[in-house]
Amino acid sequence: MSDTPSTPRPYSSTVVDGNDRAPARSMLRAVGFTDEDFSKPQIAVASAASDMTPCNVHLGDLSEHAQQGITAAGGKSVYFNTITVTDGISMGTQGMRYSLVSREVIADSVETAVAAEGFDGLIAIGGCDKNMPGMMIAIARLNRPAVFIYGGTIMPGFTSGDCDKKKPLDIVSVFEAVGKHAKGELDDAGLKDVEASAIPGPGSCGGMYTANTMASAIEVLGMSLPNSSAQLAISEDKRKDCQRAGAAVMEMLRRGIKPRDILTREAFENAIVTCTALGGSTNLVLHLLAIAHAAEVPLSLDDFKEIGERVPLLGDLKPFGKYNMSHLVRIGGIRPMMKMLLDRGMLHGDCLTVSGQTLAETLADVQPYPSYPDGQDIIRPWDQPIKTETHLRVLRGNLAPDGAIGKITGKEGLYFKGTAKVYEGEEDALKGILRGDVVKGDVVVIRNEGPVGGPGMREMLSPTSAVAGRGLIKDVALITDGRFSGGSHGFDVGHITPEAANGGPIGIVQSGDIIEIDAVKNTISLLIPDEDYAARMAAFKPRGPGSTRGVLGKYAKLVASASEGAVTDKNL
């Protein structure tokens, strides 16, 4: 970091300064540049605005407020879009194979546009699971002054008959309603009512699912302004957040503050601690590993295990808890929790943030949550946790030699031993669950859904929601070399590595085998004799990549394992 950068226009000056750059200036005049604009720092505003999903439908409006902030601070904003895909729509279909792939496409596209056009800084606005880490990967690669803005959370929905609004709904409610309908607990009209009511407008999915988890992580990393992670999508607070971000990125440029000054090892530890206490998604592991890789910060599965053993689960938030992010917003968002963690020595307070202040300085005046349980029962006190240590369990054993991630809160128990019921892919598993093939005591095994085998590591929200909808959430375990949605809950273990397509032992499991999962010892084991295990592995012929052409084929060729963040540039 330098307090006196050599020029406030380190990149745009090479693009527009000098007589030989007249062609570039001519092009830019056509999109609104004036003579004065050529002497200003150029700040890109990259948004994932799209009519494809409520998570992103409002981001174009937010980008206008960010541009206003840049202009007021003396910069020249230039707006561009990147793609997004929506898991809630593609979930359970072949289209979901493109979801994690889109993280890389987004990262590559933002990096490409910013680097090619010579922007001096960047504001990135995301509102869905993959465009958020995708943009953060690009920010870390580019290492130019940047601020990330979260698009904000959605409001809960309510069915027409819930006059007292006591049963808030979100997208996971709809997936679980499908299971209830299959079981006969919900008729067609009831399913339609949930479908029509659950998503009332713009914003990211309402629980502590992946979007809200990653928004929280990015704020704690220091790459968003205070409170950016806990604001309603449609609110004055969110619009002001965007305007302040414009001023912040200009100040970063003036002071020479860059993302890698902020994205330190200690900052990643802070994010792991806070999101563990909140009850964050298993995708936190996948995405933080990828962002750390882009920032060249060492981070591994074992760090999540070691740090998690010191952090209690305090947030009673969906999917396993009662509350949505909108409820947490009302009592102060994540910052009172961060202050509590800081005061207990759990956070590194000297980490720099995009505000120009240290983390401790940004938390100095934060007030505590209302008292528990009379004032609020969303965030537990330190000495009354839901679970005394992390719900994100790093498991190893003869089923996952390189590791797996379980999302196990203790509400569904800490130990499961059951009979394998093997499915070659998500669709077959969902059909089996809805058909009633899966019964109490089963371990549903869904394989060939990893980064290579999918390709794309689909999320198993449809199967886990079907299990919940059929009333088996405490009676059935589900394991996969794919992923779980942040909305999944139950005795679920994903990210099993090596994956089946790469010769992982999940590929040798047979229906009827006994599988043991111990979330205290952190083991996941196939209970067959060693000689049988060896014989099966010797005879096993992995299926290999699920695609060899197009974007999926390229992804399968390049992607690293889930235990390494499923990045695509590790071995280049």
Side-chain angles (χ1 to χ4, degrees):
M1 182 178 73
S2 171
D3 289 334
T4 55
S6 57
T7 171
R9 301 170 52 238
Y11 297 97
S12 63
S13 60
T14 65
V15 175
V16 299
D17 288 4
N19 291 336
D20 62 325
R21 301 310 303 162
R25 293 193 298 272
S26 181
M27 295 283 284
L28 289 170
R29 290 182 191 279
V31 297
F33 272 63
T34 65
D35 285 343
E36 293 75 18
D37 290 333
F38 292 120
S39 62
K40 297 175 183 177
Q42 292 185 28
I43 309 298
V45 177
S47 162
S50 168
D51 289 343
M52 293 168 63
T53 163
C55 309
N56 302 295
V57 68
H58 62 303
L59 299 187
D61 176 67
L62 294 183
S63 71
E64 293 179 8
H65 291 277
Q67 291 178 79
Q68 291 168 12
I70 293 166
T71 300
K76 173 59 179 175
S77 65
V78 180
Y79 177 69
F80 71 88
N81 263 25
T82 186
I83 68 156
T84 194
V85 299
T86 172
D87 298 357
I89 295 172
S90 62
M91 195 76 70
T93 74
Q94 292 293 311
M96 189 63 191
R97 300 191 188 283
Y98 290 85
S99 173
L100 187 58
V101 176
S102 76
R103 186 189 74 179
E104 307 308 303
V105 175
I106 292 161
D108 291 350
S109 67
V110 173
E111 177 193 354
T112 298
V114 171
E117 299 304 309
F119 295 119
D120 301 303
L122 168 66
I123 288 179
I125 310 176
C128 204
D129 294 14
K130 309 311 174 299
N131 57 55
M132 298 167 69
M135 288 176 167
M136 281 301 303
I137 290 169
I139 286 170
R141 290 177 185 168
L142 288 161
N143 200 32
R144 303 181 188 190
V147 177
F148 179 84
I149 299 171
Y150 178 41
T153 191
I154 197 171
M155 291 292 288
F158 301 91
T159 59
S160 56
D162 187 7
C163 299
D164 296 330
K165 296 188 175 181
K166 291 185 177 180
K167 297 180 179 179
L169 303 174
D170 57 25
I171 185 60
V172 177
S173 308
V174 189
F175 279 96
E176 293 185 356
V178 172
K180 293 178 181 178
H181 182 268
K183 191 179 179 183
E185 290 184 0
L186 197 65
D187 61 16
D188 289 352
L191 179 59
K192 177 69 176 297
D193 196 10
V194 174
E195 170 193 326
S197 307
I199 313 295
S204 297
C205 299
M208 189 50 65
Y209 309 146
T210 303
N212 281 316
T213 297
M214 290 311 302
S216 300
I218 293 168
E219 179 177 334
V220 181
L221 281 170
M223 289 305 304
S224 291
L225 290 173
N227 288 315
S228 184
S229 70
Q231 294 165 334
L232 300 179
I234 303 301
S235 67
E236 185 62 23
D237 285 343
K238 182 47 65 182
R239 290 187 283 271
K240 289 180 178 178
D241 179 43
C242 295
Q243 291 171 340
R244 286 194 298 266
V249 75
M250 289 296 293
E251 182 65 10
M252 291 176 71
L253 186 61
R254 185 189 70 80
R255 291 180 55 183
I257 298 174
K258 297 179 180 179
R260 294 196 190 184
D261 300 321
I262 297 169
L263 295 171
T264 62
R265 165 71 189 209
E266 291 76 17
F268 281 95
E269 292 178 0
N270 287 345
I272 294 170
V273 167
T274 304
C275 292
T276 296
L278 285 168
S281 164
T282 53
N283 285 311
L284 173 76
V285 180
L286 194 73
H287 296 324
L288 283 188
L289 288 173
I291 297 167
H293 170 75
E296 299 185 87
V297 171
L299 196 69
S300 72
L301 283 184
D302 289 333
D303 293 315
F304 288 85
K305 178 179 181 295
E306 188 275 326
I307 293 169
E309 289 174 351
R310 300 184 270 115
V311 184
L313 173 58
L314 303 177
D316 193 11
L317 296 159
K318 289 187 175 184
F320 52 79
K322 293 188 293 185
Y323 294 104
N324 285 317
M325 192 67 177
S326 59
H327 298 110
L328 185 59
V329 169
R330 293 174 192 168
I331 64 168
I334 71 170
R335 297 194 71 74
M337 173 178 279
M338 292 170 64
K339 181 68 182 309
M340 174 172 55
L341 293 168
L342 178 68
D343 290 346
R344 290 186 168 272
M346 301 294 292
L347 298 183
H348 302 282
D350 58 350
C351 288
L352 186 63
T353 73
V354 292
S355 69
Q357 296 180 301
T358 66
L359 185 71
E361 288 171 338
T362 69
L363 294 171
D365 297 326
V366 171
Q367 298 301 304
Y369 292 119
S371 61
Y372 177 90
D374 297 330
Q376 60 86 24
D377 61 349
I378 302 171
I379 302 295
R380 299 279 192 93
W382 184 267
D383 58 355
Q384 298 180 52
I386 296 169
K387 191 171 184 284
T388 57
E389 58 184 34
T390 181
H391 61 298
L392 297 175
R393 313 305 296 181
V394 178
L395 308 172
R396 285 188 169 88
N398 69 355
L399 257 180
D402 293 344
I405 304 295
K407 185 178 184 180
I408 302 170
T409 67
K411 290 185 176 183
E412 57 286 286
L414 297 172
Y415 177 86
F416 197 99
K417 184 178 180 180
T419 305
K421 195 151 285 180
V422 179
Y423 295 97
E424 303 291 347
E426 180 183 5
E427 288 87 352
D428 287 346
L430 181 60
K431 290 175 184 176
I433 295 165
L434 294 177
R435 201 166 47 227
D437 295 351
V438 173
V439 298
K440 181 178 180 179
D442 281 346
V443 178
V444 179
V445 179
I446 307 177
R447 64 191 179 201
N448 287 306
E449 289 287 5
V452 173
M457 209 180 178
R458 288 192 291 180
E459 294 178 342
M460 302 296 118
L461 181 57
S462 293
T464 58
S465 297
V467 167
R470 293 190 69 87
L472 294 169
I473 198 71
K474 294 184 178 180
D475 301 317
V476 167
L478 196 151
I479 71 172
T480 181
D481 51 9
R483 294 181 295 137
F484 291 110
S485 164
S488 293
H489 62 115
F491 211 100
D492 303 329
V493 179
H495 304 207
I496 289 180
T497 54
E499 61 176 291
N502 282 346
I506 189 175
I508 67 169
V509 180
Q510 299 174 3
S511 290
D513 287 341
I514 303 300
I515 291 174
E516 179 187 59
I517 306 166
D518 190 326
V520 176
K521 296 180 179 178
N522 297 322
T523 57
I524 179 167
S525 305
L526 176 62
L527 301 183
I528 61 174
D530 291 346
E531 56 270 25
D532 291 350
Y533 181 95
R536 288 191 197 180
M537 287 298 293
F540 179 38
K541 291 181 171 53
R543 192 183 72 179
S547 182
T548 57
R549 300 293 298 274
V551 66
L552 293 180
K554 288 188 284 187
Y555 182 84
K557 180 75 171 178
L558 294 172
V559 70
S561 79
S563 63
E564 298 172 304
V567 297
T568 53
D569 60 350
K570 181 178 184 295
N571 299 314
L572 296 181

